[in-house]
Amino acid sequence: QVQFVESGGGLVQPGESLRFSCAASGFVFGFYDMAWYRQAAGKQRELVASISTSRRINYADSVRSRFTISRDNFRMYLQMNSLKHEDTAVYYCKRPFDVGPWGQGTQVTVSS
């Protein structure tokens, strides 16, 4: 059974940083591209960043230069700097093509 577990969220002030971690099971993590997504209240889930097995990286325009995605063969990470109010959302990790269930996500609230 494929599962994704996100961790690292919290309540921060604008300009602060957070680091997320994603653990997965049910497949060989190092063999698959991975991505971070987020969903703000009342909005559709959106792609934040993706990283392939060859470390090819893509970012949403809204986070480029502030967020850094990385991975090893067992986990994926998202370093988020200069957080803004609009980054408030639940963040999820998943394989880009995966149509299975989402994990519980990790909440980020950016508030002054």
Side-chain angles (χ1 to χ4, degrees), residues 62-105:
S62 58
V63 307
R64 188 173 289 115
S65 80
R66 298 188 298 119
F67 290 10
T68 302
I69 190 173
S70 61
R71 67 179 294 170
D72 54 32
N73 284 334
F74 304 99
R75 286 180 176 267
M76 180 175 64
Y77 306 94
L78 187 67
Q79 176 68 41
M80 305 189 298
N81 298 329
S82 302
L83 283 162
K84 302 177 179 180
H85 291 290
E86 52 263 43
D87 295 318
T88 295
V90 180
Y91 286 72
Y92 303 87
C93 65
K94 206 173 188 186
R95 296 180 296 186
F97 64 87
D98 201 317
V99 296
W102 294 83
Q104 291 192 342

Side-chain angles (χ1 to χ4, degrees), residues 10-28:
L11 172 62
V12 296
Q13 295 187 347
E16 293 186 336
S17 299
L18 280 174
R19 179 177 168 86
F20 287 162
S21 178
C22 168
S25 60
F27 63 99
V28 180

